[in-house]
């Protein structure tokens, strides 16, 4: 006992000998995914129902598939997100988007993952702009999807319209970027060519944040993080502040 106590502080046991590092036989599994979303600056347009209804027809000549209009998320699905590891958000997304076509679903997947779209407020008129789909109708990685995203400006109530394109998945092709830019430019020019554009928008995207308590829309129930005069989602006058 006494011998043990005396020895302990000054003689720590030597470390075990390091074993020889031996390379084990192993297999590596790797997946590289790349998604790209591109948005033009916003164009201000009058919040007139005829202008709103004209947006899908602007996309039509550039789309090789029928243009689909994807509405912003209903309130009960406001947390929906296409991220598989966030299971509750994913479940909401599946429920909210179960009737959307494979092309629309691919477009939402790419453009929501990259934050190009904010589907809590954006309305998105979209189609397949370039490339092919597989036999189940889903666009492949080099296909370009896109169209026009719109929301209402919170201060002026004007419609803010953006040209939006996206692509990606398991692979990349050199000329996709160039074709994507060209399509984005065509969409933007087509909006300007309607003659309804009032000019460039100061803010490109709606200023929605996770924080709530700014204004509440009496018409659609949307809660804006800022003191908005107009609902970015439905375009109606906000009524919640102090009322
Ligand atoms: Zn609203």
């Amino acid at each position: 006992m006494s011998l043990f106590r005396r020895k302990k502080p000054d003689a720590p046991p030597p470390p075990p000998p390091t074993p020889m590092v031996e390379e084990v036989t192993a297999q590596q599994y790797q997946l590289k995914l790349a998604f790209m979303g591109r948005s033009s600056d916003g164009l201000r347009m009058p919040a007139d129902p005829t202008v709103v209804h004209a947006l899908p027809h602007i996309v039509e000549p550039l789309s090789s598939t029928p243009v689909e209009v994807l509405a912003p998320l209903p309130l009960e699905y406001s947390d929906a997100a296409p991220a598989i590891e966030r299971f509750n958000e994913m479940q909401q997304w599946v429920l909210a988007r179960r009737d959307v076509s494979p092309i629309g679903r691919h477009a939402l997947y790419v453009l929501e993952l990259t934050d190009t779209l904010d589907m809590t407020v954006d309305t998105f008129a979209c189609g397949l702009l370039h490339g092919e789909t597989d036999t189940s109708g889903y666009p492949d990685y080099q296909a370009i999807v896109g169209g026009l995203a719109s929301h209402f400006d919170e201060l002026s109530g004007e419609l803010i319209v953006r040209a939006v394109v996206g692509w990606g998945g398991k692979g990349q092709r050199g000329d996709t970027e160039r074709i994507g830019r060209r399509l984005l430019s065509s969409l933007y020019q087509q909006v300007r060519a309607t003659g309804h554009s009032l000019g460039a928008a100061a803010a490109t995207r709606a200023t929605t944040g996770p924080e709530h308590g700014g204004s509440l829309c009496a018409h659609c129930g949307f809660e804006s993080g800022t003191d908005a005069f107009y609902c970015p989602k439905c375009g109606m006058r906000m009524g919640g502040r102090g009322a």
Side-chain angles (χ1 to χ4, degrees), residues 217 219-222 231 233-235:
C217 177
H219 305 93
C220 74
F222 181 80
C231 174
K233 184 177 179 180
C234 73

Side-chain angles (χ1 to χ4, degrees), residues 34-36 38 106 110 141-145 165-169 176-177 180:
F35 296 107
M36 187 68 150
R38 198 174 273 280
H106 173 86
V110 172
Y141 67 86
Q142 54 198 307
I144 300 173
V145 288
V165 294
W167 61 88
T176 313
E177 172 87 29

Side-chain angles (χ1 to χ4, degrees), residues 185-201:
S185 165
S186 300
L187 282 164
Y188 187 82
Q189 298 305 335
Q190 289 303 313
V191 177
R192 297 222 327 195
T194 61
H196 292 299
S197 169
L198 305 169

Side-chain angles (χ1 to χ4, degrees), residues 33-217:
L33 293 173
F35 296 107
M36 187 68 150
R38 198 174 273 280
S39 166
S40 75
D41 286 344
L43 281 169
R44 298 185 295 116
M45 299 187 86
D48 178 334
T50 57
V51 172
V52 173
H53 291 125
L55 296 181
H57 301 296
I58 299 173
V59 182
E60 251 160 30
L62 290 161
S63 175
S64 51
T65 55
V67 172
E68 197 170 9
V69 177
L70 304 169
L73 290 162
L75 269 193
E76 65 268 34
Y77 297 134
S78 55
D79 290 331
I84 190 69
E85 75 280 14
R86 296 172 180 270
F87 199 62
N88 183 49
E89 288 88 330
M90 186 66 190
Q91 256 183 323
Q92 287 197 14
W93 194 77
V94 169
L95 287 171
R97 302 304 188 190
R98 65 195 153 191
D99 296 327
V100 174
S101 79
I103 290 165
R105 210 175 292 155
H106 173 86
L108 286 179
Y109 183 66
V110 172
L111 295 169
E112 285 190 82
L113 279 182
T114 52
D115 282 335
T116 314
L117 287 179
D118 177 357
M119 291 309 290
T120 55
V121 294
D122 279 329
T123 298
F124 184 38
C126 84
L128 181 70
L129 307 182
H130 174 81
E132 309 282 320
T133 60
D134 65 17
T135 47
S136 350
Y138 287 89
D140 65 14
Y141 67 86
Q142 54 198 307
I144 300 173
V145 288
L148 296 175
S150 57
H151 69 273
F152 296 92
D153 185 88
E154 297 189 332
L155 294 178
S156 67
E158 290 166 344
L159 192 65
I160 308 293
V161 180
R162 297 180 294 133
V164 166
V165 294
W167 61 88
K170 297 178 188 179
Q172 264 179 315
R173 246 181 75 136
D175 56 353
T176 313
E177 172 87 29
R178 181 178 53 80
I179 301 166
R181 281 172 188 265
R182 181 171 56 75
L183 286 164
L184 188 79
S185 165
S186 300
L187 282 164
Y188 187 82
Q189 298 305 335
Q190 289 303 313
V191 177
R192 297 222 327 195
T194 61
H196 292 299
S197 169
L198 305 169
T204 292
R205 274 188 42 169
T207 50
T208 57
E211 76 283 359
H212 291 293
S215 319
L216 178 73
C217 177

Side-chain angles (χ1 to χ4, degrees), residues 3-35:
L3 182 72
F4 175 72
R5 276 192 176 172
R6 213 168 43 237
K7 269 190 83 176
K8 199 181 175 186
D10 48 48
T18 319
M20 287 280 287
V21 178
E22 205 178 315
E23 189 78 22
V24 295
T25 310
Q27 290 78 41
Q28 182 164 287
Y29 302 92
Q30 179 174 272
L31 171 63
K32 283 187 178 172
L33 293 173
F35 296 107

